[in-house]
Amino acid sequence: MPTQADTADRLKTAIASATAAGKIDSSAATGFLGIPGAPNVNMVLAFCWAVWVGWIFSSVGAFGGVMASVGHISVFGLGEYAASFGKGTPMNKLVTDSIRVSNQWLVGTSSLISSFKYWTLGRIVLPLGIALGTGSLVGSILTPILTQGKISFRDYVGYFGVFVLGLGCYLLYETSPAARAKKKKAAAAAKAFEEASKNHAGNAAAGTRVTIVSVGLKRVVFTFCGVEFSFNPYMPVLGGFVVAAVASFLGVGGGFLLVPLLTSIAQLPMYLAAGTSAFAVLVGMVTSISTFMFGGTPVYWPLIGLELVGIVIGSWVGPITAKYLPDIWLKRLFILVAFIVGINYVLRGFFGVRLW
């Protein structure tokens, strides 16, 4: 298991290599990760962005890691900095790995706070979250081990965009009348919950909380707002593995994959998908973060520590405000963010074109 000294040695070696190649001026002021000449992030901006990250993740159960990545890569300029060292260089890979695990620190904290809040509100399907989390354990361990120190920034950004854009296209279809007509249970539960929320009973009425009816090896049954749902527990275990593997590779939480899985396959309304996704993401994040950290990936705590404070604030407010947004608008918010982020990063990663 690498020690703090091992992590420092990895950083020191990368700095020495970049300095010898003329990419670092050792006399320059230190910035990100204590690297001479690295960007110095505006801490007020970082805090405000972290509040947004916490809110969006806890509201829709997704895009916390995606928005954290947008902040670290584009808003704070760390992506351009990593790319400046050239593809395949030790410093490029180290900064890319640091961005990946930093994203996961933020979304992991957000998932912890929002999971607790959704649990108190009765809007987590716990058996489903446990099944997803069980599958995520293997994927969260295996992917960082196989990819740490091997992924260049440009490859990372391109693949990141492809996954996000693809999901945006899929969910756009899911909001069509034809697709929505196939999900009568989710629509009925969402409508009942929205009516209860308008009458200020959304958090208090017994019917607006998840009630587990039965748990078996082949079928789990629960109710929400008077509507019965069921699922085979083996399917979310497999889904959790795939989601965690992809999420660990991209350095995000995986909620942007889990939410479509929950709303499409399990046919949950967004009001349940958000909390259940947050709980499942938490399991994968703890595992993936540990794997990255034990692998010697450095984290710049002066920045990440402040961001974590903003994450806590945004993640606490999100579950409270989400009930006032219609289910369909939560999905449309998800789609809008997916298209904006996906198109930008596909163009940037594979074609060198930046929209912003």
Side-chain angles (χ1 to χ4, degrees):
M1 180 183 301
T3 64
Q4 185 174 358
D6 295 326
T7 301
D9 286 341
R10 184 187 176 196
L11 177 59
K12 184 177 179 180
T13 299
I15 292 175
S17 176
T19 302
K23 297 289 186 178
I24 288 181
D25 178 3
S26 59
S27 64
T30 59
F32 181 69
L33 292 175
I35 303 170
N40 278 294
V41 178
N42 183 305
M43 292 302 185
V44 175
L45 176 61
F47 175 79
C48 293
W49 190 266
V51 173
W52 155 248
V53 170
W55 184 87
I56 188 67
F57 177 78
S58 60
S59 294
V60 302
F63 282 114
V66 171
M67 286 292 102
S69 184
V70 169
H72 290 142
I73 291 173
S74 300
V75 179
F76 306 155
L78 300 180
E80 186 174 349
Y81 178 67
S84 70
F85 291 101
K87 183 175 180 178
T89 61
M91 184 59 75
N92 181 301
K93 295 175 180 178
L94 182 140
V95 175
T96 299
D97 282 346
S98 184
I99 290 173
R100 292 165 73 191
V101 75
S102 295
N103 297 340
Q104 294 190 332
W105 268 105
L106 299 191
V107 75
T109 301
S110 183
S111 62
L112 175 63
I113 300 298
S114 52
S115 292
F116 174 76
K117 188 61 180 176
Y118 275 116
W119 172 256
T120 63
L121 297 175
R123 302 209 314 258
I124 288 182
V125 185
L126 191 58
L128 182 54
I130 292 174
L132 289 166
T134 300
S136 74
L137 286 175
V138 178
S140 297
I141 294 173
L142 188 61
T143 302
I145 291 175
L146 295 177
T147 65
Q148 187 168 236
K150 300 176 182 177
I151 303 299
S152 71
F153 176 75
R154 186 166 180 174
D155 291 338
Y156 162 60
V157 167
Y159 292 128
F160 184 97
V162 168
F163 276 105
V164 175
L165 184 58
L167 281 169
C169 293
Y170 177 73
L171 280 183
L172 181 61
Y173 162 75
E174 288 288 293
T175 61
S176 68
R180 294 177 65 189
K182 299 177 182 178
K183 300 179 180 179
K184 296 181 179 180
K185 285 187 176 182
K191 183 176 180 180
F193 182 78
E194 288 165 12
E195 290 298 323
S197 295
K198 289 179 183 178
N199 297 325
H200 305 288
N203 297 335
T208 61
R209 302 176 68 88
V210 172
T211 301
I212 306 300
V213 177
S214 63
V215 178
L217 293 177
K218 295 184 178 180
R219 189 167 183 256
V220 176
V221 181
F222 64 95
T223 61
F224 177 68
C225 289
V227 180
E228 183 177 283
F229 297 85
S230 65
F231 65 92
N232 183 322
Y234 294 107
M235 294 305 294
V237 171
L238 177 60
F241 167 76
V242 175
V243 167
V246 173
S248 293
F249 173 77
L250 297 177
V252 296
F256 73 105
L257 289 167
L258 283 170
V259 169
L261 179 70
L262 293 171
T263 58
S264 300
I265 298 177
Q267 296 195 28
L268 298 188
M270 283 292 288
Y271 301 114
L272 295 186
T276 305
S277 170
F279 180 81
V281 165
L282 176 61
V283 177
M285 285 301 90
V286 172
T287 307
S288 186
I289 289 170
S290 299
T291 306
F292 268 115
M293 299 298 287
F294 291 155
T297 297
V299 172
Y300 189 50
W301 291 114
L303 170 63
I304 304 306
L306 178 66
E307 287 184 302
L308 290 179
V309 177
I311 284 291
V312 170
I313 296 173
S315 300
W316 189 261
V317 174
I320 299 173
T321 58
K323 70 177 183 179
Y324 298 109
L325 297 174
D327 183 79
I328 186 63
W329 282 106
L330 286 173
K331 288 183 179 178
R332 286 170 178 167
L333 175 60
F334 187 109
I335 293 166
L336 176 63
V337 175
F339 270 93
I340 293 173
V341 174
I343 292 172
N344 181 63
Y345 283 146
V346 166
L347 292 176
R348 183 175 179 179
F350 294 125
F351 303 101
V353 177
R354 294 182 59 175
L355 298 181
W356 42 272

